[in-house]
Amino acid sequence: MSQTQALVIFSGGQDSTTCLLQAIARYGRPAVHALTFQYGQRHAIELERARWIAQDLGVAHTEFTLPPLNTLSRNALTDASLPIEQATPDAVPNTLVDGRNALFLLYAAIFAKSKNIRHLILGVCETDFSGYPDCRDIFVRSMNTTLNLAMDYPFEIHTPLMWLTKAQTWALADELGYLNYVREHTHTCYQGVAGGCGQCPACLLRERGLAEYLAQKAERQP
């Protein structure tokens, strides 16, 4: 593989699928590899979606199993006994999985270096997000520096959605020609409901962004 290869950290959700589609357009389908993590999440549907989408899009896909993260700390995404709560301005959401993106990037970097891949793509966002500290640009940039130092390798971590609203992320999917594909085939719901529960924080953020984008699109049409 050449240095123009890219590795997408891929969950099967709206954001990572949009990043995967953009990577295919930018690097070419044979140059893109998707990496999915099983970390003890409370439902399996996102893993099923990730497998299906990767196969449907024809990209190489690897699934890696981490030790269940609920053995280290409790959170509502890995412990089904905890109710998923709406975030408040003065508290970190109980859906935060401590260290998740740091672990994802570490393992992705190890995997990528073994295949001579230096471009890592992560679908995190600081504009429309749930208050997760490991979705911030400052974290990603610090992690990029740490990985380069730790492995003496020129990784470049790309976060194409970092400064986009959810409406703008939907717009990007549309520009790539995959608006309906992302709507129909990706999974975002924290509750694991196929098609979305419409009530959890992830569903509300997704649907608000979609409604905003569709309204903007309708206004532009003659």
Side-chain angles (χ1 to χ4, degrees), residues 98-108 122 134 139 143 147:
D98 279 321
R100 179 175 59 173
N101 284 337
L103 284 173
F104 285 1
L105 284 168
L106 174 60
Y107 280 94
L122 183 66
D134 60 356
F139 159 73
M143 195 69 180
L147 292 173

Side-chain angles (χ1 to χ4, degrees), residues 9 23 25 38 40 70 134 153 156-157 159 162 186 191-192 196 198 208:
I9 297 175
Q38 161 64 267
N70 62 2
D134 60 356
Y153 193 76
E156 291 185 28
I157 302 177
T159 53
M162 180 59 73
T186 63
Q191 299 286 3
R208 278 199 302 264

Side-chain angles (χ1 to χ4, degrees), residues 120-133:
L120 306 178
I121 300 172
L122 183 66
V124 295
C125 169
E126 192 172 329
T127 305
D128 271 350
F129 77 133
S130 300
Y132 299 141

Side-chain angles (χ1 to χ4, degrees), residues 105 122 124 126 133-149 155-159 162-163:
L105 284 168
L122 183 66
V124 295
E126 192 172 329
D134 60 356
C135 288
R136 296 176 298 171
D137 182 62
I138 190 172
F139 159 73
V140 175
R141 288 189 284 111
S142 69
M143 195 69 180
N144 202 151
T145 299
T146 296
L147 292 173
N148 290 3
L149 291 172
F155 293 111
E156 291 185 28
I157 302 177
H158 304 274
T159 53
M162 180 59 73
W163 307 115

Side-chain angles (χ1 to χ4, degrees), residues 17 24 33 57-58 60 63 65 99 105 112 116 118 125 136 159 188 191 203-205 211:
T17 300
I24 291 170
H33 199 118
L57 294 177
E63 188 173 319
T65 301
L105 284 168
N116 298 318
R118 67 184 183 91
C125 169
R136 296 176 298 171
T159 53
T188 301
Q191 299 286 3
C203 283
L204 292 174
L205 185 61

Side-chain angles (χ1 to χ4, degrees), residues 14 44 49 56 94 110 134 138 148 157-158 161 192 199 214:
Q14 174 195 356
R49 289 289 83 202
D56 188 62
N94 76 336
I110 295 169
D134 60 356
I138 190 172
N148 290 3
I157 302 177
H158 304 274
L161 312 183
Q199 298 178 341
L214 293 177

